[in-house]
């Protein structure tokens, strides 16, 4: 499908900018050369150009506008949006390990739960301020991630998925067991007074909803930005080459086991962060509520539906998994939503394996190409040029932030 | 069938056997061959793949029985098993051993015998001599020649060792970059100096 | 002593169930090279079918036979329609389809028959007095029945794999699918039969375990059994039938002893202990204790 796109992207600048343009302002750098000749070539936008910056600015404005608009909705809608953000953060975490490193995890409900319970226990039992519990939740989830990734020293794909599965299954069991700390099967309720927005915000206890909306949105944006940079980094290249060809990666000097373990750690930390926010948002936890295997499946469904290894996939996927069950008229834990998740998962694999964002990304890249201004002198911050030979979809994120 | 590495010999064999998709037509006795491997076997064409492809976890006897997958005549199958165990005595001696424990030469015998179990009209052998000691190769080729004589089984053999192949063959095809560059009897080939120096290298 | 024996008996009984489901997992793995995450939920679904048939006042034996049949057909159809088309693409695609089946089948059972617990009649005598006494321990009829079923199934599978053409072809496909197809084996049919067979075995495990399980027949019945069965199959390296049976029995007995004698585990951490067993096995020997190491050429 989009296999020829990278070559189109690669060739165009040689035609349009043979001399190597300076990275400063370039007047109207729009699709000369090839585009004009064939009439249907991709619209070329040069990285760092005015048009590029304009598009970026437009993107920022659009995001802010959407957020402002959403924050004005009814309280229960704002709550749903917050839920979307939190699920999206969790899926961003899952995407690192499943999307970019190629290891299917069915145990991310455990990271989500660990983050949630860390915050819940610290706030409810030790009177910690909610925000101060976030680092603790992140660190604990990171450590759990390392532990889950540890078996990848010796075992691969299928077996690793089984390990993650059992981690996901064990988590609620352990929570039920550790009754003194977690409240066991009865659950853990955090008094809403302890979850009130910090005093400096000037927001009252009743405005927790809108407070969490903005906190979650900010964290989501931050996490997406971090994940994007991580995937583009040297380490991210290691992740992707591990996914695409493990043996070749190892032969080229990628420390595959370390990459997998660290990817699991970072992935767990991000999903744990989502869990921590979830506690602040929902205020009451129970082991059988949001931390069972169904949550893991929900996250995987969201990721696959949105688009594996894409930047915006987690957000689109989160919107889908939060609102999909409601469209079908069932509550999010009812049997029908399970059927829907199951059918959607299978259908996606068959009809749109690259996911919604992946599909749109392919479509857009056929029409718009963002190219570095000066290819020979690729600056350090533009090393995100396409990796050697990634599958079509993994390229998407490199050029997606403008859409 | 002779030819340099990459000339398309194995590809040709795999296309005939139905292991890959192809365009055009492949016919046996004027009738088009089907495209799926098990149907190809059913129409009387059996491939001994390069690298033998014996079923290592199964015994020699079981390998031979798998070779009879397309047949329904139980009595005939047992008779054939006995026959090939006589023709290849080593298979008879090791009939209850798993194929994975056989030596390379023994595995090649087994692979040929297994392919013959389907009673093919055409036997395809992809480099049967690969990795075998010269004496074993001679033995194998002698056996193939005998079977060809007694059963009338047609054989298409891919071979790197041109001399050896021409001793056995009645017709030689020279494949070059996917097309037949020359064909004829071994005598023709030996007589044609140009072909000989260009392709056979002696 | 008799307490020990009773724990041993209960461990062997649970272990037999794990072994049954593990056999189903192994049959699929040998054919398709994938772990069927939906195996437990497929078994659950077919067990609901059996339960439903008993509520239509049909005899239990008929219900079991029907469940086996439904299991076979569903397994074969799943392979044909959902697994085969994506199997060539990559492992992840197969796993995701299995995951979809996992959640879909479970929820479908809930949707069709409700999530409340059902009482499933046992095909074996399981009254208070249906036991024989061994060294002071009671061996109940249904435990014996489960053991008998496992032994019977092992016998049947041995017959199938050693002495029938289909069984021979299944082993050939498991060994090397390309070679088998070159020999004229109808690989696609064999794969579907393999999945069907494992669906039927899973159904057998389901109808046998539910009368014994503490939670009877509910939507969560098969899950912990699936986890234990995965551990059992893994114990055998996922491709060994004997290994799966030994693994199932070992895990069943280990679990009974651990929950009986180690109070920390005490009945509510069974899945976690199965997890630990899995991880320990994988670390000790990534290909399982019975599995074969495969060299992969690149």
């Amino acid at each position: 499908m989009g296999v020829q796109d990278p070559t189109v992207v690669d060739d165009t600048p040689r035609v349009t900018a043979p001399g190597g343009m300076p990275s400063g302002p370039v007047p109207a750098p729009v699709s000369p050369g090839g585009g004009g000749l064939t009439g249907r070539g991709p619209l070329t936008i040069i990285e760092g150009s005015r048009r590029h910056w304009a598009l970026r600015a437009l993107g920022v404005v659009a995001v802010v506008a959407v957020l402002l608009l959403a924050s004005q909705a009814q309280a229960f809608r704002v709550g749903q949006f917050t839920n979307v953000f939190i699920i999206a953060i969790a899926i961003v975490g899952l995407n690192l390990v499943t999307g970019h490193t190629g290891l299917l995890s069915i145990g991310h409900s455990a990271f989500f739960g660990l983050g949630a319970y860390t915050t819940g226990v610290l706030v409810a039992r030790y009177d910690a301020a909610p925000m101060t519990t976030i680092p603790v939740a992140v660190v604990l989830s990171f450590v759990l991630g390392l532990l889950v990734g540890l078996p990848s020293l010796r075992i691969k794909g299928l077996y690793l998925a089984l390990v993650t599965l059992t981690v996901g299954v064990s988590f609620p069991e352990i929570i039920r067991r550790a009754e003194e700390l977690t409240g066991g099967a009865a659950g853990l309720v955090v008094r809403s007074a302890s979850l009130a927005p910090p005093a400096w915000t000037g927001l009252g206890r009743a405005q927790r909803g809108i407070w969490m909306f903005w906190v979650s949105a900010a964290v989501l944006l931050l996490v997406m930005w971090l994940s994007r940079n991580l995937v583009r980094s040297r380490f991210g290249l290691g992740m992707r080459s591990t996914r695409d060809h493990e043996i070749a990666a190892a032969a080229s000097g990628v420390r595959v086991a370390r990459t997998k373990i660290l990817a699991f750690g970072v992935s767990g930390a991000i999903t744990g962060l989502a869990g921590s926010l979830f506690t602040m948002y929902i205020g009451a936890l129970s082991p059988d509520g949001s931390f069972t295997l169904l949550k893991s499946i929900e996250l995987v469904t969201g990721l696959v539906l949105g688009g594996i290894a894409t930047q915006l996939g987690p957000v689109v996927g989160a919107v889908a998994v939060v609102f999909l069950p409601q469209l079908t008229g069932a509550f999010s834990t009812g049997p029908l939503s399970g059927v829907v998740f199951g059918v959607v998962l299978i259908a996606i694999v068959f009809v749109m394996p690259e996911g919604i964002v992946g599909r749109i990304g392919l479509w857009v890249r056929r029409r718009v190409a963002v190219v570095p201004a000066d290819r020979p002198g690729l600056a350090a911050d533009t090393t995100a040029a396409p990796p050697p030979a990634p599958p079509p979809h993994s390229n998407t994120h490199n050029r997606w932030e403008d859409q | 069938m002779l030819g340099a590495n990459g000339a398309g010999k194995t590809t040709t064999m795999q296309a005939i056997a139905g292991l890959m998709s192809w365009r055009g037509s492949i016919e046996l006795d004027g009738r088009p061959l089907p495209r799926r491997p098990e149907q190809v076997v059913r129409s009387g064409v059996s491939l001994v793949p390069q690298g033998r492809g014996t079923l290592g976890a199964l015994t020699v006897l079981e390998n031979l029985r798998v070779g009879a997958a397309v047949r329904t005549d139980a009595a005939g199958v047992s008779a054939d098993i006995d026959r090939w165990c006589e023709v290849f005595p080593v298979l008879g001696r090791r009939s209850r051993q798993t194929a994975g424990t056989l030596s390379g030469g023994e595995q090649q015998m087994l692979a040929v015998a297994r392919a013959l179990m389907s009673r093919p009209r055409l036997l395809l052998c992809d480099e049967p001599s690969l990795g075998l000691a010269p004496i074993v190769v001679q033995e194998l080729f002698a056996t193939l020649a005998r079977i060809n004589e007694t059963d009338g089984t047609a054989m298409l053999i891919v071979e790197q060792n041109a001399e050896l192949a021409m001793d056995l063959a009645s017709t030689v095809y020279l494949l070059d970059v996917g097309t037949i560059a020359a064909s004829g009897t071994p005598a023709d080939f030996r007589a044609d100096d140009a072909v000989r120096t260009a392709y056979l290298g002696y | 002593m008799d307490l020990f024996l009773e724990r041993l008996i209960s461990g062997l009984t649970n272990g037999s169930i794990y072994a049954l489901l593990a056999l189903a997992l192994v049959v699929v793995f040998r054919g398709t090279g994938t772990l069927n995450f939906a195996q437990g939920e497929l078994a659950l679904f077919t067990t609901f079918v059996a339960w439903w048939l008993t509520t239509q006042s049909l005899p239990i034996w008929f219900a079991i036979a029907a469940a086996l049949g439904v299991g076979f057909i569903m397994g074969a159809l799943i392979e044909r329609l959902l697994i085969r088309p994506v199997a060539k693409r990559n492992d992840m695609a197969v796993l995701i389809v299995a995951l979809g089946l996992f959640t879909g089948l479970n929820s479908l059972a809930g949707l069709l028959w409700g999530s409340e617990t059902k009482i499933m009649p046992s095909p074996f005598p399981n009254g208070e007095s249906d036991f024989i006494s061994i060294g002071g321990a009671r061996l109940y009829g249904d435990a014996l029945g489960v053991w008998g079923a496992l032994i019977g199934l092992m016998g049947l599978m041995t017959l199938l794999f050693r002495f029938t053409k289909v069984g021979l072809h299944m082993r050939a496909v498991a060994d090397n699918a390309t070679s088998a197809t070159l020999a004229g084996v109808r690989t696609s049919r064999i794969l579907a039969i393999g999945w069907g067979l494992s669906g039927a075995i899973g159904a057998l495990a389901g109808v046998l375990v539910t009368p014994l399980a503490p939670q009877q027949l509910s939507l969560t019945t098969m899950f912990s059994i699936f986890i234990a069965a995965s551990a059992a199959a893994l114990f055998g390296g996922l491709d060994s039938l004997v290994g799966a049976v030994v693994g199932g029995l070992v895990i069943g007995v280990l679990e009974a002893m651990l929950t009986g004698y180690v109070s920390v585990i005490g009945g509510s951490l069974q899945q976690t202990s199965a997890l630990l067993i899995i991880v320990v096995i994988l670390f000790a020997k990534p290909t399982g204790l019975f599995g074969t190491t495969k060299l992969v050429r690149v």
Side-chain angles (χ1 to χ4, degrees), chain A residues 2-14:
Chain A
V3 182
Q4 71 268 46
D5 287 353
T7 57
V8 171
V9 172
D10 282 354
D11 290 345
T12 326
R14 286 189 203 112

Side-chain angles (χ1 to χ4, degrees), chain A residues 102-403:
Chain A
L103 308 166
L104 181 61
S105 169
I106 320 171
H108 263 56
S109 53
F111 299 112
F112 193 69
L114 182 62
Y117 267 93
T118 305
T119 293
V121 168
L122 286 178
V123 173
R125 300 263 189 273
Y126 302 96
D127 266 338
M131 289 298 148
T132 61
T133 65
I134 289 182
V136 186
V138 168
V139 168
L140 285 181
S141 308
F142 178 73
V143 172
L144 178 65
L146 295 183
L147 287 176
V148 174
L150 208 55
S152 62
L153 277 174
R154 298 210 53 179
I155 57 178
K156 308 199 156 90
L158 197 58
Y159 300 91
L160 204 58
L162 193 58
V163 172
T164 63
L165 171 76
T166 46
V167 171
V169 171
S170 309
F171 181 78
E173 217 173 52
I174 293 168
I175 290 298
R176 257 179 263 133
R177 186 73 191 187
E179 214 162 320
E180 312 79 51
L181 211 55
T182 64
L188 179 72
V189 177
V190 186
R191 280 177 300 121
S192 74
S194 338
L195 293 174
W200 58 264
T201 58
L203 294 169
R205 204 192 291 181
Q207 281 136 311
R208 188 174 115 212
I210 197 73
W211 162 243
M212 282 317 297
F213 173 89
W214 286 109
V215 169
S216 307
V219 171
L220 173 61
L221 290 171
L222 177 74
V223 157
M224 285 172 71
W225 178 73
L226 283 176
S227 144
R228 168 175 168 270
N229 286 352
L230 181 71
V231 171
R232 288 175 166 203
S233 71
R234 202 181 164 76
F235 180 73
L237 186 63
M239 283 163 54
R240 282 176 291 151
S241 44
T242 299
R243 172 194 63 196
D244 294 337
H245 203 304
E246 189 170 329
I247 294 164
S252 329
V254 174
R255 290 154 83 178
V256 170
R258 200 187 68 153
T259 303
K260 286 182 181 175
I261 293 173
L262 266 180
F264 254 110
V266 178
S267 166
I270 292 176
T271 304
L273 172 59
S276 176
L277 294 174
F278 182 72
T279 299
M280 300 179 206
Y281 156 70
I282 200 98
L285 307 174
S286 92
D288 301 310
S290 284
F291 312 108
T292 61
L293 205 64
L294 193 64
K295 180 58 91 181
S296 285
I297 292 174
E298 185 184 315
L299 297 180
V300 172
T301 309
L303 178 60
V304 175
L305 186 62
I308 282 184
T310 61
Q311 280 295 311
L312 288 180
V315 180
V316 175
V319 171
V321 293
V322 170
F323 288 102
L324 201 65
Q326 299 188 343
L327 283 181
T328 61
F331 294 104
S332 57
T333 50
L336 192 59
S337 85
V339 176
V340 170
F341 280 152
V343 171
V344 165
L345 259 182
I346 295 172
I348 282 288
V349 171
F350 274 81
V351 302
M352 202 164 56
E354 67 276 21
I356 296 171
V357 171
R359 174 62 63 89
I360 297 174
L362 287 176
W363 185 85
V364 169
R365 274 186 305 138
R366 220 167 288 142
R367 284 154 186 82
V368 184
V370 179
V371 298
D374 186 5
R375 288 188 66 81
L378 277 178
D381 59 325
T382 55
T383 39
H393 61 259
S394 78
N395 248 339
T396 323
H397 49 78
N398 284 341
R399 321 199 172 277
W400 237 102
E401 72 273 23
D402 302 306
Q403 302 313 317

Side-chain angles (χ1 to χ4, degrees), chain C residues 64-88:
Chain C
I64 291 178
L68 294 188
V70 171
F72 187 93
I73 293 167
M74 285 181 71
L77 284 180
I78 286 171
E79 195 279 332
R80 181 109 232 188
L81 301 177
L82 299 181
I83 301 294
R84 197 180 309 163
V86 299
K88 282 195 202 95

